[in-house]
Amino acid sequence: MKMNKILGWLFILAAPLATATSTTEVKNPIVSNSDIVGEWNCKILYDDLGIESLDTLDFQANGSTVGFGLLSVQKTFTYESNHTGHWTLQGNTLSETGTNYTFGRIHSKETEKRLSTEPQLKEREQQFFQQLTKDMNNGDSTDFEILDFKDKRMLINHVWKNQQRHPGLCVKK
């Protein structure tokens, strides 16, 4: 089942994200709660960190969410996540507060081999995994600035607390 979700993401998000989000200008799209309700596949690039996330987020009409995701770090470490939470929409900002995040390591065989033979890499991975678990279960919201919305597609920026923005694309199933 997880492989089907991964293949679904790859098919749906095959369009180049860099060109789709080459602008950071907000068009102030008009988006309603009913537009958000449903299952979305989202891809966000954190180029400066060498991270890519692929998530399936189910935004339910009662304000709750269920999510499954994959996180690739510097094309070396790969993690899967599951969570529940709740969401709100204010203007063009979609906020999700995830709860009960669980993470699993799903590194490639090559990475597993390197981890067993490279103590520094293993230590770096363990530190990253601990920080990831801590950061995602701290009760903070994740804010998405909706740049454009049409035809079941949202161009977004993941806005961090320091106002740094990372481009993303979400496609509604």
Side-chain angles (χ1 to χ4, degrees):
M1 182 161 170
K2 289 180 185 174
M3 184 54 81
N4 288 340
K5 286 187 178 194
I6 295 168
L7 292 175
W9 283 327
L10 295 176
F11 178 75
I12 291 170
L13 299 173
L17 181 59
T19 21
T21 58
S22 60
T23 179
T24 56
E25 179 182 325
V26 178
K27 296 180 181 180
N28 288 322
I30 298 173
V31 183
S32 69
N33 284 2
S34 61
D35 291 326
I36 300 301
V37 171
E39 193 169 312
W40 292 83
N41 292 319
C42 298
K43 178 179 182 179
I44 301 175
L45 300 176
Y46 305 86
D47 284 335
D48 56 329
L49 303 172
I51 296 176
E52 179 178 304
S53 71
L54 300 171
D55 293 284
T56 294
L57 299 168
D58 186 3
F59 295 102
Q60 299 171 4
N62 67 3
S64 64
T65 57
V66 176
F68 168 80
L70 294 175
L71 189 68
S72 173
V73 181
Q74 299 175 350
K75 298 183 181 181
T76 303
F77 307 132
T78 308
Y79 305 94
E80 66 179 355
S81 67
N82 290 288
H83 75 277
T84 57
H86 61 275
W87 66 276
T88 59
L89 178 67
Q90 293 183 349
N92 69 328
T93 301
L94 174 62
S95 297
E96 184 200 17
T97 302
T99 57
N100 304 315
Y101 266 93
T102 59
F103 293 93
R105 293 170 165 107
I106 55 171
H107 305 314
S108 68
K109 289 180 182 180
E110 295 160 11
T111 296
E112 289 293 342
K113 183 178 178 181
R114 287 186 61 202
L115 289 169
S116 68
T117 61
E118 298 177 33
Q120 288 179 324
L121 184 67
K122 184 175 183 172
E123 182 178 333
R124 192 176 81 185
E125 189 280 335
Q126 288 173 339
Q127 289 173 346
F128 182 85
F129 186 76
Q130 288 173 342
Q131 191 66 46
L132 177 66
T133 302
K134 178 182 171 190
D135 288 349
M136 295 308 292
N137 282 308
N138 67 7
D140 288 346
S141 68
T142 302
D143 298 326
F144 304 103
E145 178 181 50
I146 301 171
L147 303 173
D148 194 18
F149 183 94
K150 61 183 169 190
D151 301 324
K152 299 183 179 185
R153 295 171 70 90
M154 284 191 290
L155 290 179
I156 61 169
N157 274 332
H158 175 193
V159 182
W160 284 14
K161 300 299 177 207
N162 64 4
Q163 297 304 305
Q164 187 174 11
R165 288 165 162 72
H166 297 278
L169 172 66
C170 296
V171 178
K172 194 172 193 178
K173 282 187 165 184

